[in-house]
Amino acid sequence: EPEVTQTPSHQVTQMGQEVILRCVPISNHLYFYWYRQILGQKVEFLVSFYNNEISEKSEIFDDQFSVERPDGSNFTLKIRSTKLEDSAMYFCASSVIIGPGSGNTIYFGEGSWLTVV
Amino acid sequence: TQLLEQSPQFLSIQEGENLTVYCNSSSVFSSLQWYRQEPGEGPVLLVTVVTGGEVKKLKRLTFQFGDARKDSSLHITAAQPGDTGLYLCAGAGGTYKYIFGTGTRLKVLA
């Protein structure tokens, strides 16, 4: 069964360093998402991406964050200068064509656990 | 701001008991999904409900979408230890995102 894959599974970084989290969405999917989950808290929407541009972003997704689809398969989340509060599990997700408004299924990766020290 | 509140937050029950988890909002959602999440893993989709009043069954799990599409419930019949996990509801908060609920952590004791 096709799945969303994420790398790395776990990264420890020093505060102020740049981090890039990578995702390979399911191959025929066109909508891509990043969510995060701080330990013990709920899953929070960060950004959605379609047709090589951001479709929607949350207030969490400030200027320190950026997303990119550098080639036909990868979808990346970059955090420019990490802060302690960026420590969380970051989930990539993808969906087929239409966004979730129509009940379309989105599929989540297993997450990248980021620890900022 | 669209919010989804789940209740209860924590639930510990004996194997064989029935339970219901609620997901409530003051906002209308065009669709709502239920996920189950294991520690250290991503959410795994259980079901999507789209129509107000819709009921879907997945083995011992019954999902209902409220008539006004503001709330949903998940009922588990004869719970088993394998049902243990974090249950999340998520509502379509627009065209391009889902808003997740606060979660219900279920533990089923053998």
Side-chain angles (χ1 to χ4, degrees):
Chain A
E1 186 176 328
E3 57 183 18
V4 176
T5 57
Q6 290 185 240
T7 54
S9 57
H10 190 187
Q11 182 163 353
V12 180
T13 189
Q14 289 209 324
M15 192 168 53
Q17 295 295 304
E18 176 182 283
V19 161
I20 297 176
L21 305 178
R22 292 181 168 79
C23 168
V24 178
I26 295 174
S27 62
N28 65 331
H29 288 189
L30 297 178
Y31 279 75
F32 314 117
Y33 314 84
W34 282 101
Y35 285 78
R36 81 170 185 191
Q37 187 176 31
I38 295 171
L39 187 64
Q41 298 187 24
K42 68 177 187 178
V43 178
E44 300 173 292
F45 170 78
L46 293 179
V47 67
S48 59
F49 190 87
Y50 170 69
N51 200 26
N52 282 319
E53 59 183 27
I54 291 173
S55 306
E56 191 165 357
K57 60 183 181 179
S58 71
E59 53 275 8
I60 301 169
F61 194 87
D62 61 21
D63 292 343
Q64 293 298 313
F65 291 89
S66 62
V67 288
E68 193 178 30
R69 188 151 164 82
D71 53 44
S73 60
N74 290 285
F75 178 52
T76 62
L77 173 69
K78 182 193 291 186
I79 308 174
R80 252 180 281 283
S81 178
T82 49
K83 302 187 280 282
L84 294 176
E85 53 265 38
D86 293 328
S87 294
M89 180 78 95
Y90 287 82
F91 293 107
C92 175
S94 67
S95 62
V96 178
I97 297 176
I98 304 170
S102 64
N104 188 46
T105 299
I106 57 173
Y107 294 87
F108 283 82
E110 295 209 335
S112 293
W113 183 248
L114 175 65
T115 303
V116 182
V117 297
Chain B
T1 304
Q2 292 169 307
L3 292 172
L4 278 165
E5 296 287 337
Q6 287 184 238
S7 60
Q9 274 189 290
F10 302 96
L11 189 56
S12 181
I13 61 171
Q14 292 292 324
E15 182 177 4
E17 292 184 358
N18 301 333
L19 67 115
T20 302
V21 175
Y22 299 93
C23 173
N24 294 297
S25 176
S26 57
S27 303
V28 175
F29 292 96
S30 57
S31 63
L32 192 138
Q33 298 188 331
W34 283 92
Y35 292 83
R36 184 173 141 194
Q37 185 181 21
E38 302 287 346
E41 297 183 11
V44 176
L45 180 69
L46 296 174
V47 76
T48 301
V49 285
V50 180
T51 307
E54 183 176 1
V55 176
K56 280 192 175 178
K57 292 195 175 185
L58 185 67
K59 297 183 181 176
R60 293 177 293 100
L61 278 59
T62 302
F63 305 86
Q64 183 161 12
F65 201 13
D67 290 341
R69 291 184 288 128
K70 291 183 179 181
D71 55 84
S72 181
S73 63
L74 157 61
H75 182 79
I76 301 179
T77 303
Q80 298 175 1
D83 296 327
T84 294
L86 177 65
Y87 289 83
L88 300 164
C89 64
T95 304
Y96 302 108
K97 68 182 180 186
Y98 271 105
I99 306 294
F100 277 79
T102 47
T104 294
R105 195 165 296 279
L106 171 66
K107 186 167 187 176
V108 182
L109 305 168

